Amino acid sequence: MRVMPTRWITRLETLLTYALVLGCLTALAAGLLYLLMWAPGVATGLLALSTLVRALRRARAGDRALFSATTADHLRRIGWILIAGSLASAALGMVAEAALAAMLLTESYPFYPPSSALLWAVVAGFAALGVSEIVRRGLALLQEVEATI
């Protein structure tokens, strides 16, 4: 003889199944928001580091390769990667952190300032742009001197 489950057991099972699915989706959303907090900064750092390695690998050939238009282009690219990547990373991180705090905490704040590391990355980006311009102008002066001799 097969016993039919009572209606309340069926409803409880359905309710618990929905709660389990909702809990899994919430955990997945929290994990994605946490990933959004640190992944853009890491990607920016790795992209800038790989560009720096390419510039140093090329500069190893000698002084002439070190002070070249290609090196200036690499430095300018590093500068813009650091500036744009850090600002985008800060914006995405603040949005993700606010959303994550609203999901997980009982009290949340509307604004979470970016870390000081992002500020220093922007400063380093401007420094790289400055050094790029110095190399570019030095290269122009070197070509002018070589043309007069």
Side-chain angles (χ1 to χ4, degrees):
M1 174 167 124
R2 184 168 178 216
V3 177
M4 298 295 287
T6 59
R7 187 174 291 171
W8 72 271
I9 291 177
T10 305
R11 287 183 181 160
L12 180 64
E13 179 188 8
T14 304
L15 180 66
L16 290 176
T17 302
Y18 286 139
L20 177 66
V21 169
L22 186 61
C24 289
L25 289 176
T26 303
L28 180 65
L32 290 175
L33 286 172
Y34 181 70
L35 180 69
L36 192 60
M37 283 172 40
W38 64 266
V42 170
T44 298
L46 289 175
L47 187 60
L49 188 62
S50 70
T51 306
L52 181 62
V53 166
R54 277 188 283 152
L56 290 175
R57 188 174 294 147
R58 188 179 188 299
R60 225 178 8 189
D63 289 342
R64 194 70 168 155
L66 180 62
F67 296 103
S68 66
T70 306
T71 302
D73 288 340
H74 282 300
L75 287 170
R76 189 176 58 217
R77 190 174 305 130
I78 289 169
W80 284 116
I81 287 170
L82 288 174
I83 292 168
S86 296
L87 293 177
S89 177
L92 288 172
M94 286 189 304
V95 168
E97 193 169 354
L100 191 59
M103 285 175 61
L104 299 176
L105 302 176
T106 57
E107 183 177 327
S108 64
Y109 301 97
F111 179 72
Y112 292 92
S115 70
S116 63
L118 291 173
L119 175 66
W120 284 110
V122 171
V123 170
F126 280 116
L129 287 176
V131 172
S132 167
E133 187 61 27
I134 290 169
V135 169
R136 190 173 308 285
R137 288 184 185 190
L139 184 62
L141 285 173
L142 182 65
Q143 289 172 349
E144 187 177 313
V145 166
E146 287 176 350
T148 48
I149 294 180

